[in-house]
Amino acid sequence: MTITPLRSVSLAARVTTLLGRTFPEYVPGVVHEGFRVESLDTAEPRRMFVRWHGGTPTRPVWTHGPALGREQYKAQILEVLTRAGYAVTSVPGRMDVFVDDKPHETSGPRFTPVLSDIPIGPPWLVMDLWTRTHSATADTEEEAAGKAMEHERQHTVTEARIVTHQKLWDFLERADEVLGDGLTWLRREVSDGEYGSVLRFDRLDAVVAVANALLRGDEVTSSGRMVAYPLPSGRGTAQWVPKSAAPAVGYFPRWPWTETAGQAITLLIDAGLPPVRYGEEIGGGSVMCEGDGFLVSPENRVGVHLDTIGAGGSDASDRAAEVLRAAGWRVEADTEWPGWYSAFPPGV
C-alpha cells in the first residue's frame, strides 16, 4: 500500500529548514525563543503559519520607529519567505505569518473581497486566495475591493523585485504609481499613425516595462488611463491601457443607446459574430478598442447602422446583414460605402 505524506508536513519541513538557517527554532522546554511552523486546522490542506515564541513584546502600536522584538522577527520572516518564492500573508493584528506554496496558475487575481463569516468585527474581508486567509477587513464591499487592489499592487511590486535587478527597484514603485489600478493590461504599438495588434499582459509585465522606460530616461506620459513612452528603437510608441472590467460590447459608449441597438447586438452575438469591444478612456475623447468586431449604432431611433471595426471589413458586415435579414429585419446596403448597412426590426 502506498502512503501519501501529508501536504502540510512537507510544507512545514521545507519552511522550517529554510528559516532554521537564519533563526533559532522554538522547542518547548529546550529553546525558549524562536520560530515555529504551526496550524490551527485539523484537515488537509491545512493553513500553515509561522509564529515567533518568546522574546520582547511587540512595540506599542502608537509609537513610531524601527520594529522591535516579535514585530521585528515577523518582518524578517516575511522577507525570507518571500525571497524564497513562498506565498505569505501578514494577518492584521496578529504576529503570525501565513505561508503556502505559490499556485501553478498565478495569472488571476490573488486578493478578493468576501463577506465575513466571523460573528464579530467588520462585515467584509480581503481574502488572499494563495494562503486562504484574510489580509484586511472592511466595512463595505467597495472598501474591501479598494483594499484588494492595493494588496494586488503591493504584491506585483514585490514579485517584480524578485525577478529584476536592484537598479530597477526604485523605478518599479514609480511605474506602479503611473499605471494606477488594473490587473490585466493591453499593449499596442503605434508607428507612423498605424496601430499594431492589441496584446494582453499581466500587471507584472506592465510594471516592469514602464519601470524600464523610466530607467532609460524616456518621457512617460499619461492620457486618461493610457500610459505611453517611446519604443527603444525610436520608431514608434508603446501604449499600455488597463483592460476594462465592464467594456462596451458591440457599440461605441459615447453614442446614445436604444433598445433596437441592443436587440441587434444580441442577435449577432447569438449567431457567433464577434462584437467590437471598447474599454477605458484614453484621453481626448477617445476610448480604447480592446477587440475588433461588428459595430452597431442607432439610426433615426427606429433602426441601426451596421459596420465592422478592424479585421474582416465588409465581409464581416455582409455576414451581420445576413443574420439580421434571417431574423426578419429589413436591411438596406449603403450605396456609397461598401460594407455599411442600415437595418430595421420587423414592423418598422
Side-chain angles (χ1 to χ4, degrees):
M1 181 179 67
T2 302
I3 299 177
T4 303
L6 296 177
R7 175 183 173 279
S8 59
V9 173
S10 170
L11 178 62
R14 286 182 281 118
V15 171
T16 299
T17 300
L18 172 66
L19 296 179
R21 299 170 186 161
T22 307
F23 310 102
E25 180 183 358
Y26 170 73
V27 180
V30 180
V31 180
H32 302 289
E33 182 179 359
F35 75 91
R36 189 177 186 182
V37 183
E38 305 178 31
S39 177
L40 300 178
D41 298 326
T42 58
E44 297 287 339
R46 299 183 183 183
R47 291 168 298 173
M48 308 301 293
F49 60 86
V50 181
R51 175 175 293 174
W52 190 267
H53 292 263
T56 307
T58 303
R59 190 183 190 95
V61 297
W62 57 84
T63 63
H64 300 279
L68 297 178
R70 300 171 195 154
E71 189 175 69
Q72 175 187 10
Y73 288 120
K74 177 183 179 180
Q76 294 174 351
I77 289 170
L78 277 167
E79 181 178 359
V80 170
L81 293 174
T82 300
R83 281 287 170 191
Y86 286 98
V88 294
T89 302
S90 175
V91 179
R94 295 176 59 175
M95 287 296 101
D96 303 328
V97 176
F98 279 79
V99 59
D100 207 336
D101 293 308
K102 287 183 180 178
H104 295 297
E105 176 56 54
T106 60
S107 59
R110 175 176 175 178
F111 300 92
T112 187
V114 298
L115 275 171
S116 174
D117 58 359
I118 303 173
I120 59 174
W124 285 90
L125 303 175
V126 176
M127 292 298 296
D128 184 340
L129 301 179
W130 290 11
T131 59
R132 293 164 291 123
T133 190
H134 74 279
S135 58
T137 60
D139 293 323
T140 65
E141 183 177 7
E142 292 73 19
E143 182 187 1
K147 288 186 176 182
M149 180 54 66
E150 290 176 6
H151 289 199
E152 291 283 3
R153 291 174 58 171
Q154 294 169 2
H155 157 68
T156 300
V157 171
T158 299
E159 292 288 290
R161 282 172 167 262
I162 295 174
V163 299
T164 59
H165 192 277
Q166 187 172 354
K167 67 180 181 182
L168 196 64
W169 290 359
D170 288 342
F171 297 98
L172 293 172
E173 300 282 354
R174 289 174 56 189
D176 173 73
E177 295 174 1
V178 170
L179 289 168
D181 292 347
L183 294 182
T184 303
W185 285 75
L186 305 175
R187 182 185 186 275
R188 68 181 179 187
E189 295 182 2
V190 183
S191 180
D192 296 327
E194 296 292 328
Y195 291 91
S197 300
V198 176
L199 304 177
R200 179 172 172 166
F201 292 89
D202 291 335
R203 181 178 182 85
L204 177 64
D205 300 301
V207 169
V208 172
V210 174
N212 273 295
L214 293 168
L215 175 63
R216 293 192 300 267
D218 294 340
E219 182 182 7
V220 178
T221 60
S222 297
S223 180
R225 289 307 317 276
M226 181 176 68
V227 175
Y229 54 84
L231 291 169
S233 63
R235 293 180 295 182
T237 303
Q239 298 179 342
W240 291 87
V241 182
K243 187 178 184 303
S244 174
V249 178
Y251 67 97
F252 189 69
R254 290 187 175 274
W255 292 342
W257 173 262
T258 65
E259 183 178 348
T260 303
Q263 293 171 354
I265 291 171
T266 299
L267 285 170
L268 297 175
I269 291 177
D270 288 346
L273 275 64
V276 68
R277 292 176 179 269
Y278 287 104
E280 297 287 349
E281 302 275 348
I282 55 177
S286 298
V287 181
M288 178 65 178
C289 181
E290 298 186 350
D292 297 339
F294 70 79
L295 172 66
V296 174
S297 55
E299 182 173 299
N300 299 326
R301 306 288 308 173
V302 295
V304 297
H305 179 80
L306 293 179
D307 192 10
T308 297
I309 302 299
S314 59
D315 290 341
S317 294
D318 293 344
R319 172 62 179 142
E322 293 171 4
V323 170
L324 293 186
R325 279 199 184 101
W329 288 50
R330 176 167 55 90
V331 180
E332 301 172 354
D334 191 305
T335 57
E336 296 184 5
W337 297 95
W340 286 20
Y341 291 90
S342 295
F344 304 88
V348 176

